[in-house]
Amino acid sequence: MKLWEAGPSGLWKPIRAWSLEGPGEGGGFSRHVSPPGAAAKDTVDSMSATAAARKRGKLVSGAGAGAGAVKRRRKADSAVAKTRTRGSGKMNEEISSDSESESLTPRKTVEEDEEEELEETVQEKKLRLAKLYLEQLKQQEEEKAEARAFEEDQVAGRLKEDVLEQRGRLQKSVAKEIQAPALADIRVLRGHQLSITCLVITPDDSAIFSASKDCTIIKWSVESGRKLHVIPRAKKGVEGQPPGHSSHVLCMAISSDGKYLASGDCSKLILIWEAESCQHLYTFTGHRDYVSGLAFRRGTHQLYSTSYDRSVKVWNVAENSYVETLFGHQDAVAALDALSRECCVTAGGRDGTVRVWKIPEESQLVFYGHQGSIDCVQLINEEHMVSGADDGSVALWGLSKKRPLALQREAHGLRGEPGLEQPFWVSSVAALLNTDLVATGSHSSCVRLWQCGEGFRQLVHLCDIPLVGFINSLKFSSTGDFLVAGVGQEHRLGRWWRIKEARNSVCIIPLRRAPVPPAAGS
């Protein structure tokens, strides 16, 4: 027997049923399922079997039973109809309601994301995390590589500068950046009664020591311009007075650590002072004429001195001792300078030579080039120097050649009546250490700034700084922020002229640098 029932979609489908057999055919029910190919035949058989069952009394008979079956059939049909109505109503609501569909859209997106995450297998997740970790490691390594490259560039630059500085070939280019200062920006410090002869700047650029023909030494504050200390003149033959100079002070030097100050005078004496308190420590005697030049070896307390007696002497200030004496010049030595190497350079005055003294070997290098008396000399680095003479010339020297690398004649112009012109004497020179900036002084009413060309083979005039009087001394600060000039009415070494308009003073000249133009593409 085959039974049919209504499915959810409203179509009839076959279900399993119990076949009814009479007691004579087996006395019970047997379960079987009709094959799907006998649909029409099963329908007729089921209808005949139902009629036979009703006749035999096996099913509920009578009008009440028929009414119950009809009622149950109607309930089933109504349930199916309600289910269809609810389904169609829900579909109608989803289609007709735009707002609800919009509100459900993000919920579906989240569910889709969750399904995608659920769809990712364990192996895929491990692979994704591994790739992410590798990318992070790669980025970290790139950042570290960039940092290392930057540090290596900086270290390489510093090492290169150190090597060049040790070899004496370092030449930083700063001269092009220097701007000429305004006259109102120059500070004038007055305290000496006679011409300034020499000056030095402390290593930290905080103070200036100036000396004069009035035999006094004054310590100035760079920031305020006030006097910090005055070492007065000592009178000859008077006992119990404070220590000091009794004759013109011609030269001074300060140690690279700022501890000791040395000063030399026309009385053949070298006085050693404590730079901080200006307290007198020692007095060195040994020269037989004016002490004209002093310099400390950088990084040590070894002191070099020179004199009109044509000698160069070596002293140990820390141990208050004399070391040795070197000879070689043929005339009075006018100036001396030194840097880190165990050697010094001297200007030989009227013998027309510049000499480099190698202290350990007790030997000397002799350089020729000026026509007049060489009155001033300054080391630019360990291998190059600049000098000035009373023939008006300024020369640049290298230790590898006995002749000047560059010679600028009439560096400060000419003076005198037409046909009788004479060059202005070059009375002082200064160089900013390990750079291409040089300054020269004369009595031509100005200080001149120069740029050293490539390889120190040329001198290019930059600008003039107006100052009236003899420029007897010039010093750059260690940072190159300012230049100090010692101005007097008379020359440092004599009284050939007197400029009444000049003021005996210390002038602090600020050096401002022009902003560097940005590099292309930056």
Side-chain angles (χ1 to χ4, degrees), residues 109-172:
T109 305
V110 173
E111 293 174 355
E112 290 174 359
D113 295 341
E114 292 177 354
E115 290 176 0
E116 289 178 0
E117 292 179 0
L118 292 175
E119 290 174 359
E120 185 181 31
T121 63
V122 177
Q123 295 298 330
E124 290 175 346
K125 185 175 182 180
K126 289 182 178 180
L127 182 61
R128 178 174 59 82
L129 293 177
K131 289 182 178 179
L132 181 62
Y133 180 65
L134 290 176
E135 288 179 359
Q136 291 176 352
L137 287 179
K138 184 178 179 181
Q139 184 177 1
Q140 291 176 0
E141 289 299 324
E142 290 177 354
E143 293 175 356
K144 289 180 181 179
E146 291 178 359
R148 281 196 300 268
F150 181 71
E151 291 177 359
E152 288 173 359
D153 290 342
Q154 287 187 326
V155 171
R158 289 196 297 268
L159 289 175
K160 185 177 179 180
E161 288 187 359
D162 291 342
V163 171
L164 290 174
E165 186 174 356
Q166 290 176 0
R167 294 180 179 177
R169 299 175 183 176
L170 181 60
Q171 185 184 10
K172 297 179 183 177

Side-chain angles (χ1 to χ4, degrees), residues 155-343:
V155 171
R158 289 196 297 268
L159 289 175
K160 185 177 179 180
E161 288 187 359
D162 291 342
V163 171
L164 290 174
E165 186 174 356
Q166 290 176 0
R167 294 180 179 177
R169 299 175 183 176
L170 181 60
Q171 185 184 10
K172 297 179 183 177
S173 180
V174 300
K176 288 184 177 180
E177 304 173 8
I178 300 298
Q179 292 180 326
L183 186 60
D185 294 336
I186 299 175
R187 291 190 291 160
V188 179
L189 312 180
R190 299 192 61 186
H192 291 284
Q193 301 300 317
L194 298 178
S195 298
I196 309 296
T197 54
C198 55
L199 53 83
V200 292
I201 306 173
T202 56
D204 59 359
D205 295 339
S206 63
I208 300 169
F209 289 92
S210 62
S212 167
K213 288 185 177 181
D214 61 10
C215 311
T216 63
I217 297 175
I218 300 178
K219 183 179 181 181
W220 307 86
S221 169
V222 173
E223 184 178 0
S224 64
R226 296 180 179 179
K227 296 179 184 178
L228 299 177
H229 201 281
V230 177
I231 301 176
R233 175 181 181 177
K235 295 182 180 179
K236 293 182 180 180
V238 179
E239 297 181 357
Q241 62 179 343
H245 292 281
S246 58
S247 59
H248 298 175
V249 183
L250 297 182
C251 54
M252 285 194 300
I254 191 168
S255 60
S256 57
D257 60 358
K259 185 176 181 180
Y260 296 111
L261 174 71
S263 57
D265 61 14
C266 294
S267 300
K268 315 171 190 177
L269 300 177
I270 300 173
L271 275 61
I272 307 298
W273 312 83
E274 185 180 359
E276 182 65 27
S277 62
C278 295
Q279 180 182 356
H280 178 257
L281 299 177
Y282 321 117
T283 299
F284 291 157
T285 59
H287 282 292
R288 294 175 293 173
D289 209 333
Y290 295 178
V291 180
S292 56
L294 290 169
F296 278 95
R297 181 186 173 193
R298 292 172 65 90
T300 70
H301 294 145
Q302 191 174 47
L303 177 67
Y304 306 116
S305 65
T306 190
S307 166
Y308 278 17
D309 64 7
R310 309 176 187 180
S311 69
V312 174
K313 292 185 181 292
V314 184
W315 314 82
N316 190 324
V317 175
E319 298 179 1
N320 188 19
S321 61
Y322 159 80
V323 179
E324 62 178 322
T325 301
L326 303 173
F327 295 95
H329 278 290
Q330 304 301 313
D331 202 348
V333 185
L336 178 145
D337 194 28
L339 287 178
S340 300
R341 292 181 181 175
E342 199 170 356
C343 64

